[in-house]
Amino acid sequence: MTNYKRFLPVMLVLAWLAVPTNAGQGAGTADSALESSVADSCARLATAKVEWPDATTHIKQSDWHADGSQVALPMVPPVTLPAHCELTGAMQDRMGVDGQHYAIRFHLRLPLRWNGKFLFEGGGGTEGDLGSAIGATTPGAPPAIAQGYAVVSQDSGHDNATNSVPSRGGNVAFGFDPEARANYGGASLRLVSETAKEIIHSYYGRLPEHSYFVGCSKGGQEGMAFAQRFPDEFDGIVAGAPGFSLPRAAVAEAWDTQAFGSLVEATGAKTFNPKLLPTSFSETQFRTVREAILAACDADDGVRDGITSNFESCTWPRVAKELNRRNCSTSKTDSCLSDAQISVLGRVHWGPKNNRDKSLYSDWPIDAGMGSDGWRIWKIGSAMSGFPGINVAMGGPALAAIFTTPPTTLNADPKAALDFVLSFDFDRDAPKIYATQAPFKRSAWDAVSARSPHLEEFRARGGRMIVYQGASDPVFSLNDTLAWYREVEKLNGESSADFVRVFPVPGMAHCNGGPATDQFDAFGALVDWVEKGSAPDRIIAKAGANSPWPGRTRPLCPYPETPHYKGSGSIEDAENFVCRSGR
């Protein structure tokens, strides 16, 4: 058992925090004494003797941060944090079969004024980063730690700073070790969650009243893995743009690259300069694609407003008809589309197939966010940048090292990634995501996917899940997510919506961006559902400053419902739209 006497001082201090006090002379002295006591308790965590869920666990560092400390994050201003104890630790230090040293590292922040709740912050991409452990949940909202949550993040069992091997694709090199693959796929999740809860129990003297998980992309995959494999860990899960079919989606990335590459590849050539891929479509041509989609489908939700809310009614034959009206059969300009470009868009829409016409992943929705900056940065790279897109830069190495067996050795450069993707054979190579070969006793699909519709244990425990995803997500198809939800419905009937709801976001790209109302509080809706029993019938979303309509609001509707205009009132106001099923 944990020695709670070791933590008695901080427990008494936290009990004091719950008692209202009157402001007055000496308050500053009391606050200083309070922080000093808690800071001492924070420091002692580094040497505390705790019966860890995993006996190899050790605290590497514990630091006290006064109120007003800041943390630097990529591409955003520094975030100001409340007074808190920050810990980093590790477990399962080992030497992998590939000769690399591995460990599962975690990062935990414990706020002085704890609200009694715990949040697990999901990761992203190929992981390998310890994460901020601040719990960013909603654009513009204070992070979870500022709301009083204890927050943990993790690196999923490999470290980009030490496990990156240029001759094996760089940051994806961990894919050559079976255990590192498994930890990336989700094996590390429960260990980190239960370790964090043990520290919380020790530090505050009690377990969290409610526990939540929030993540998008790979983080969304982690949320799904928790619900399916470890259903007793969380009361509520937000799984955004879930990469629960990651190996199949990586095959689709190769398919898309080959399709777009056919527009810039010289006849008979097997490769080309990666910088040419962004030139396969100009920005003007993608605006033409958006115009065609809007002409075909914009009015399906009752109003022409630049949003294809009723995206399931928008079919390829309808859009292809409009695209053909904008082709270059008579005069070629930058705004028209060639027959080859239209054919490529259709090929991408239907998704990867083998020579027997068997689908290898999913088709994609046709949505007015197609071709937006957030869409093309994945598919082909931004215009005039020379960057061949994330599908090549990250998708190619990940497919080679993590998602196929045996892994393929690639140098960490865009040309090597592009050449691998261009040579990928959908009959010969796609089955490798299901293959096993020593030392890999489990396939990449078994180790990394989290697509099972079986959520019976999560439901029985009273768990609640919100899934959101952009209809123009360029890397994980919303259609795959909706197909998964229909499988959940087959198992649970109409009561599926009692514990899991999917909210498509028309126009949105991957996790955010695109011509969309992409700012919304899914986490707040989840907390209300878990703690107040208020199931979200709609989530109000707002368009950001970079959208075509800054400040516009729309309801996000639980699938299969979609937003429809009531017929009167401003189209900029969500109150004039109703959620209605198209089934």
Side-chain angles (χ1 to χ4, degrees), residues 117-128:
K117 304 176 190 180
F118 167 56
L119 184 137
F120 194 124
E121 173 188 289
T126 57
E127 302 274 14

Side-chain angles (χ1 to χ4, degrees), residues 495-583:
S495 63
S496 299
D498 292 345
F499 70 99
V500 57
R501 298 192 178 193
V502 179
F503 290 84
V505 187
M508 191 172 81
H510 187 56
C511 294
N512 54 47
T517 53
D518 67 339
Q519 299 181 8
F520 49 89
D521 188 6
F523 179 59
L526 178 73
V527 170
D528 284 346
W529 195 4
V530 168
E531 299 180 20
K532 300 177 183 178
S534 178
D537 292 326
R538 54 195 266 153
I539 298 175
I540 301 302
K542 182 179 179 180
N546 294 325
S547 78
W549 340 269
R552 170 184 284 184
T553 58
R554 283 285 185 279
L556 304 182
C557 302
Y559 183 79
E561 295 181 349
T562 56
H564 287 261
Y565 184 52
K566 291 180 179 180
S568 62
S570 171
I571 65 170
E572 306 305 318
D573 191 342
E575 291 304 311
N576 298 315
F577 289 78
V578 61
C579 291
R580 192 172 71 205
S581 177
R583 288 187 181 180

Side-chain angles (χ1 to χ4, degrees), residues 102-156:
Y102 292 101
I104 300 171
R105 300 182 304 148
F106 60 89
H107 187 188
L108 179 65
R109 296 185 193 268
L110 305 164
L112 172 64
R113 301 187 183 278
W114 185 44
N115 65 4
K117 304 176 190 180
F118 167 56
L119 184 137
F120 194 124
E121 173 188 289
T126 57
E127 302 274 14
D129 181 87
L130 195 51
S132 69
I134 65 169
T137 60
T138 305
I145 187 172
Q147 300 175 46
Y149 287 82
V151 183
V152 74
S153 58
Q154 56 126 20
D155 68 359
S156 83

Side-chain angles (χ1 to χ4, degrees), residues 28-206:
T29 302
D31 287 344
S32 298
L34 167 63
E35 286 215 18
S36 177
S37 177
V38 179
D40 288 345
S41 297
C42 174
R44 285 196 293 272
L45 283 175
T47 56
K49 302 297 182 183
V50 178
E51 292 186 8
W52 301 107
D54 184 282
T56 67
T57 303
H58 54 282
I59 302 299
K60 290 190 171 185
Q61 190 170 351
S62 60
D63 297 304
W64 179 255
H65 299 281
D67 190 58
S69 64
Q70 292 190 324
V71 59
L73 299 175
M75 298 182 291
V76 296
V79 178
T80 301
L81 304 181
H84 69 281
C85 178
E86 178 186 21
L87 293 90
T88 56
M91 65 187 81
Q92 296 192 355
D93 293 74
R94 63 183 180 84
M95 189 64 67
V97 299
D98 57 349
Q100 292 288 307
H101 176 264
Y102 292 101
I104 300 171
R105 300 182 304 148
F106 60 89
H107 187 188
L108 179 65
R109 296 185 193 268
L110 305 164
L112 172 64
R113 301 187 183 278
W114 185 44
N115 65 4
K117 304 176 190 180
F118 167 56
L119 184 137
F120 194 124
E121 173 188 289
T126 57
E127 302 274 14
D129 181 87
L130 195 51
S132 69
I134 65 169
T137 60
T138 305
I145 187 172
Q147 300 175 46
Y149 287 82
V151 183
V152 74
S153 58
Q154 56 126 20
D155 68 359
S156 83
H158 65 276
D159 183 354
N160 289 340
T162 60
N163 299 133
S164 182
V165 183
S167 63
R168 287 186 168 180
N171 290 347
V172 301
F174 72 90
F176 284 76
D177 180 75
E179 189 171 341
R181 267 196 195 184
N183 281 329
Y184 171 76
S188 66
L189 293 173
R190 185 169 202 148
L191 290 172
V192 171
S193 177
E194 297 205 337
T195 298
K197 290 179 181 178
E198 180 63 25
I199 297 172
I200 289 169
H201 194 177
S202 299
Y203 190 65
Y204 294 116
R206 60 190 174 100

